[in-house]
Amino acid sequence: MRRVLVTGANGFIGWHTLPRLLRRGFEVHGVSRRGVTVPGVYSHAADLLDPVQVTQLLQKIRPECLLHLAWYTEHRKFWTALENYRWVSASMHLADVFVRNGGMRLVVAGTCAEYDWSQGVCDEFATALQPRTDYGVCKNALRALLDGYTRHCGVSFAWGRVFHLYGPNEHPDRYVAYIIRSLLADKPAACTAGQQRRDFLHVEDVAEAFTAILQSDVIGPINIGSGSASSLAEVATQIAKILNRPGLLELGAIPMPADEPLTLLPTVRRLHSEIGWKPTYDLPRGLTHTVNWYRNQRDTAELKS
Amino acid sequence: MRRVLVTGANGFIGWHTLPRLLRRGFEVHGVSRRGVTVPGVYSHAADLLDPVQVTQLLQKIRPECLLHLAWYTEHRKFWTALENYRWVSASMHLADVFVRNGGMRLVVAGTCAEYDWSQGVCDEFATALQPRTDYGVCKNALRALLDGYTRHCGVSFAWGRVFHLYGPNEHPDRYVAYIIRSLLADKPAACTAGQQRRDFLHVEDVAEAFTAILQSDVIGPINIGSGSASSLAEVATQIAKILNRPGLLELGAIPMPADEPLTLLPTVRRLHSEIGWKPTYDLPRGLTHTVNWYRNQRDTAELKS
C-alpha cells in the first residue's frame, strides 16, 4: 500500500482528497496546523513554515507520495501577500526532506495566475507564463524550482494548475458562495454584467482530479478544468433559477474590474486524455449540490438557534 | 555615508568590488565564510546558508545597500549542483532580513544562463528566459522572486547578468587561465576550433560594473558585457601572441561540445547608456594584464621554492 502525505489537509480542496485517496487504496496522512479528523486518515499537526517541524514530520512518516496543497489562502489578501514568498522557501524545504526520506511522487497545486492572462485560453506548453501578482510569481517560481530539483533527483513531479472552483465550504465572499448566500437570505446579489467566461469546477471534482494526477505517472504542468466554459452571468442565472429568485440577481450593478480578463480558460487535453479524468458534476448538478449544502447549513443553524 | 554589505566578498568578482566601493565613498562591509582582509573594509565571517547567522548579521550591520554575489561556484559542478536550490532559499531569506532592517538598494548577480541560448544575442527584455541548467533555473527563479518581493516592499532592485569573464585568480581550469598556464609552462593548450563568439570582460571591469549599478537607481535585469564580441580562437591567439608561443596553441584538438552555442552575446545598451558605464580594459590590455599577473605568480613561487 502506498503512503501519501497531504498538506493543507483541512483546506477547501485538501479535505475532499482524503476519502478519495483512501478509496484508491492509499495509506493517507494529513497535515494541517491543527491536525485533521477524518476516519481512516492519520492526523498530523505541524506548522509547515517551521523547517524543524517539517523535517521531523517527514522523517517520521516517510511518505512515498506527497500531495502539497497547503499555501497562504486568506481571501483576496493572498494575491498580494508577502506570505507567498515564505511559502516558496517552505515548499522547497518540504520537497527536499520528502526526497531525502524516500519520496518518489510529488504533486503540487499551481494556479491559472501563472499564465499571461491576455492570452484568454491557457495551454500548459503553448501559453506564456507571465504572472502579475505575488501569488502568481511565487507559484510560478516554485514550479520552475521543483521541476529542476525533481529532475535532478529522479523524482516524479506533476503540477496541477487550479482555475475556477466552487462548492461547499467555499469562502463566503467568493462568487458562487456570495450569490447563493444572498439569494437564500432574500437579499439582492450585486454582480458585474458577467460576460467574463470561466471554467468552473466543483471542488470535489478538483480534489478528484488531484488524486487522479497523483496516481498517474504524468509529469509537468496539468490544467485542472471541466473543459466547459460558462459566463459569470450564466452561473449566476443558474443559481437564481435553482433558488427560484431571478428578481434578486442584479447583473451589471457593479463595474467589471479593469484588470479582469474577459476570457480565462484552460485547455484540458492533458487532464482528460493523458490522465483519463472527466468531471463528475456538470455545472447545473454542481450548483444544485452546492445550493443544497447551503440550505442544509441554514436549516441546521436554524434548528440550533 | 551609505553602508553597503557585499556577500561573496572573497570571491572572484566580490573581492574586486571592495576597493571600488571604498573609493566611491561607501562604508563597506564584506562577508564570507572566513571573513575578508582588505584595508578599510569591515570583515564579517558567516555562513549564508544558516538563516540564524544571516538574521544576526543583518541586524548588526543594518546596511542601506546589499551587493549579493555569494553563490555555490565550484568549477564545472555548479551548473548541475543541488546546492543551487539551497542558495535560492538562502538568498530570499537574506533579502527579507535586509529589507526588514532598513535595506533600500539591492543588487544581485545573475547569469547569461537564464536566457534561451538558441537566441544568440541576449537582450534583457526581448530574449526569452529558458534556463537549461540547475544553475540557470535557480538564478532565474530567484530573480523573479526578488523582483516581486522588492516591488511589494518598495525596495530598489537590480540584477546584473554576468556573461564571460577572466582575470587574475580565475579558476585554473577555465578557458583563459588554462591557456595562459599551459603556455607559460611550455605545454600545449588543447582547444576547440574556437569559432564560438563571446563577450569577454576582465573581472575588474565586472566588479566596476556592479559598483556602478549599485550606485545608480536603475532597476531590473542589466547585462554585464563589454559590447565587443571575440571568437574563442581570437582570445587564444591573442594570449599566444602576448606570450610568443603560437606553436603551443592546438586549436581544433578537441571537439566542440554539442550543447555549446556558437553565439552567446549580451546587448549592453542598459549598462552603457542607462548606467553610463564603459569597460576600462579592452581585450588585448586585459589579457596582457592577466598574463603578467600569472607571470608574477610563477616568479614569486619560484623565488619561494
Side-chain angles (χ1 to χ4, degrees):
Chain A
M1 190 195 296
R2 287 200 297 173
R3 190 179 297 154
V4 61
L5 173 63
V6 179
T7 72
N10 264 334
F12 185 40
I13 300 171
W15 191 79
H16 288 289
T17 66
L18 303 176
R20 286 168 174 78
L21 289 163
L22 286 172
R23 278 203 293 270
R24 286 172 186 257
F26 284 91
E27 176 186 314
V28 183
H29 294 251
V31 59
S32 79
R33 260 166 300 182
R34 295 174 308 280
V36 52
T37 49
V38 170
V41 173
Y42 293 88
S43 169
H44 304 272
D47 176 3
L48 295 184
L49 294 175
D50 179 343
V52 176
Q53 288 187 43
V54 170
T55 301
Q56 287 170 347
L57 184 74
L58 273 290
Q59 283 172 344
K60 188 172 69 178
I61 304 175
R62 295 184 63 83
E64 196 180 335
C65 306
L66 174 60
L67 178 55
H68 177 40
L69 304 174
W71 199 264
Y72 177 79
T73 55
E74 187 77 29
H75 182 59
R76 293 194 199 279
K77 289 188 186 170
F78 75 93
W79 290 109
T80 56
L82 279 182
E83 279 82 354
N84 287 299
Y85 299 90
R86 296 183 66 197
W87 276 96
V88 176
S89 296
S91 300
M92 283 304 294
H93 175 69
L94 173 69
D96 185 43
V97 291
F98 168 65
V99 170
R100 287 172 195 270
N101 286 283
M104 294 300 292
R105 172 74 172 162
L106 172 64
V107 175
V108 182
T111 167
C112 58
E114 296 164 60
Y115 289 112
D116 178 356
W117 280 5
S118 70
Q119 298 304 298
V121 178
C122 302
D123 180 88
E124 290 95 339
F125 299 114
T127 304
L129 300 166
Q130 190 69 267
R132 297 285 180 201
T133 59
D134 295 295
Y135 178 63
V137 163
C138 288
K139 283 282 186 177
N140 191 42
L142 176 62
R143 180 197 47 74
L145 290 167
L146 288 176
D147 183 67
Y149 182 78
T150 53
R151 277 175 203 273
H152 188 115
C153 298
V155 165
S156 173
F157 165 60
W159 180 261
R161 287 204 180 109
V162 177
F163 277 67
H164 292 81
L165 71 174
Y166 67 95
N169 267 320
E170 190 179 26
H171 189 282
D173 293 340
R174 282 171 58 95
Y175 190 69
V176 168
Y178 163 71
I179 297 173
I180 295 177
R181 286 173 52 251
S182 300
L183 269 52
L184 267 180
D186 277 322
K187 288 178 188 165
C191 304
T192 65
Q195 294 171 299
Q196 306 95 309
R197 292 172 71 234
R198 302 288 183 266
D199 184 322
F200 274 91
L201 200 55
H202 190 286
V203 63
E204 289 181 23
D205 274 330
V206 176
E208 186 69 34
F210 269 111
T211 58
I213 291 170
L214 186 82
Q215 208 168 23
S216 80
D217 54 8
V218 175
I219 63 169
I222 304 160
N223 288 339
I224 295 181
S226 69
S228 301
S230 308
S231 72
L232 294 190
E234 285 164 0
V235 172
T237 305
Q238 186 76 42
I239 296 170
K241 189 178 151 194
I242 295 165
L243 283 163
N244 199 24
R245 306 272 208 296
L248 290 173
L249 205 59
E250 298 186 347
L251 291 171
I254 51 175
M256 184 168 136
D259 57 350
E260 204 169 304
L262 202 56
T263 301
L264 182 59
L265 297 168
T267 60
V268 292
R269 183 193 54 76
R270 296 208 83 195
L271 183 61
H272 293 202
S273 302
E274 293 186 46
I275 308 285
W277 180 88
K278 290 278 187 305
T280 306
Y281 292 98
D282 58 15
L283 191 64
R285 280 195 60 231
L287 289 175
T288 303
H289 174 270
T290 306
V291 164
N292 288 338
W293 182 85
Y294 277 98
R295 277 190 177 128
N296 286 338
Q297 290 286 106
R298 187 193 55 179
D299 297 347
T300 310
E302 281 174 2
L303 276 174
K304 280 184 183 165
S305 65
Chain B
M1 189 194 296
R2 287 202 296 172
R3 189 179 298 154
V4 61
L5 173 63
V6 179
T7 72
N10 263 336
F12 185 38
I13 300 170
W15 191 79
H16 289 288
T17 65
L18 304 176
R20 285 168 175 79
L21 289 164
L22 286 171
R23 277 203 294 271
R24 286 172 186 257
F26 284 91
E27 176 186 314
V28 183
H29 295 252
V31 59
S32 80
R33 258 165 302 181
R34 294 174 309 279
V36 53
T37 49
V38 170
V41 173
Y42 294 87
S43 169
H44 303 273
D47 177 4
L48 296 185
L49 294 175
D50 179 343
V52 175
Q53 289 187 43
V54 170
T55 301
Q56 288 170 346
L57 184 74
L58 274 291
Q59 283 173 343
K60 188 172 70 179
I61 304 175
R62 294 184 63 83
E64 195 181 337
C65 306
L66 174 59
L67 179 54
H68 178 39
L69 304 173
W71 199 263
Y72 177 79
T73 55
E74 187 76 29
H75 181 61
R76 293 193 199 281
K77 287 188 187 172
F78 75 93
W79 290 109
T80 56
L82 278 183
E83 280 81 354
N84 287 298
Y85 298 90
R86 295 183 67 198
W87 276 97
V88 176
S89 296
S91 299
M92 283 304 294
H93 175 69
L94 173 68
D96 185 42
V97 291
F98 168 65
V99 170
R100 286 172 195 271
N101 286 282
M104 295 300 293
R105 172 74 173 161
L106 172 64
V107 175
V108 181
T111 167
C112 59
E114 295 164 61
Y115 289 113
D116 177 356
W117 281 5
S118 70
Q119 298 305 299
V121 178
C122 302
D123 180 87
E124 290 95 338
F125 299 114
T127 305
L129 300 166
Q130 191 67 267
R132 296 286 179 200
T133 59
D134 295 296
Y135 178 62
V137 163
C138 287
K139 284 281 187 179
N140 191 41
L142 176 62
R143 180 197 47 73
L145 290 168
L146 289 176
D147 182 67
Y149 182 78
T150 53
R151 277 175 203 273
H152 189 115
C153 299
V155 164
S156 172
F157 165 59
W159 179 262
R161 287 205 179 107
V162 178
F163 276 68
H164 292 82
L165 70 175
Y166 67 96
N169 267 321
E170 190 179 27
H171 189 282
D173 293 340
R174 281 170 56 96
Y175 189 70
V176 168
Y178 163 72
I179 298 173
I180 295 176
R181 287 172 52 251
S182 299
L183 269 50
L184 267 179
D186 278 323
K187 288 178 187 165
C191 304
T192 65
Q195 294 171 298
Q196 306 95 306
R197 293 173 69 235
R198 301 288 183 266
D199 183 322
F200 274 91
L201 199 55
H202 190 285
V203 62
E204 289 181 21
D205 274 330
V206 177
E208 186 69 34
F210 268 111
T211 58
I213 291 169
L214 186 82
Q215 208 169 24
S216 80
D217 55 8
V218 175
I219 63 169
I222 304 159
N223 288 339
I224 295 181
S226 70
S228 301
S230 308
S231 71
L232 293 190
E234 285 165 1
V235 172
T237 305
Q238 186 75 42
I239 296 169
K241 188 177 152 194
I242 294 164
L243 282 164
N244 200 23
R245 304 273 209 296
L248 290 173
L249 204 57
E250 299 187 348
L251 290 171
I254 52 174
M256 184 169 137
D259 57 350
E260 204 169 304
L262 203 55
T263 302
L264 181 59
L265 297 168
T267 60
V268 292
R269 182 192 55 77
R270 296 208 82 194
L271 183 62
H272 292 204
S273 301
E274 292 186 46
I275 308 284
W277 179 88
K278 291 277 188 304
T280 308
Y281 293 98
D282 60 14
L283 192 65
R285 282 194 58 231
L287 288 175
T288 302
H289 173 270
T290 307
V291 164
N292 288 338
W293 182 85
Y294 277 98
R295 277 189 176 128
N296 285 339
Q297 291 285 106
R298 185 194 56 182
D299 296 347
T300 310
E302 280 174 2
L303 277 174
K304 280 184 182 164
S305 67

